[in-house]
Amino acid sequence: MPEKITQSIAYLAELYSLEDDNRPWAVAWSGGKDSTTVLSLVLRMLEVLPADKRTRKIHVVMSDTRVENPEVGAYMHSQVQAFNNYVKPRNLP
């Protein structure tokens, strides 16, 4: 993995693991490249953390404004389902 990605994942793990802060996280996902990159980094961070360190809930928020092209809206909803199908069997918070 490129060094910048590794550093970003390590930094996210550091923030996620702060003992004096147990608030849940929220990741806003729009389906675009920027929010998908952030969500991918958070997901990868969770996957490399030991299961006993995954203590905070993380909410992924996708807002359907109903102004999207119907194909884009359908894609976004299918991606939400695919994401849920990925994280649930892995017990990711």
Side-chain angles (χ1 to χ4, degrees), residues 41-69:
L41 289 170
V42 170
L43 182 61
R44 181 67 182 134
M45 177 271 298
L46 286 172
E47 291 177 323
V48 299
L49 276 180
D52 64 324
K53 300 289 185 187
R54 300 177 196 154
T55 57
R56 290 189 200 202
K57 288 275 187 192
I58 299 179
H59 304 278
V60 179
V61 181
M62 186 275 290
S63 180
D64 186 350
T65 61
R66 306 272 186 209
V67 297
E68 299 290 345
N69 173 313

Side-chain angles (χ1 to χ4, degrees), residues 5-55:
I5 294 172
T6 303
Q7 290 173 347
S8 297
I9 292 168
Y11 182 63
L12 286 169
E14 180 183 327
L15 293 175
Y16 182 84
S17 301
L18 290 174
E19 291 185 17
D20 61 338
D21 186 359
N22 62 357
R23 295 173 296 169
W25 281 13
V27 178
W29 179 75
S30 68
K33 63 185 178 299
D34 296 332
S35 63
T36 299
T37 298
V38 170
L39 182 56
S40 297
L41 289 170
V42 170
L43 182 61
R44 181 67 182 134
M45 177 271 298
L46 286 172
E47 291 177 323
V48 299
L49 276 180
D52 64 324
K53 300 289 185 187
R54 300 177 196 154
T55 57

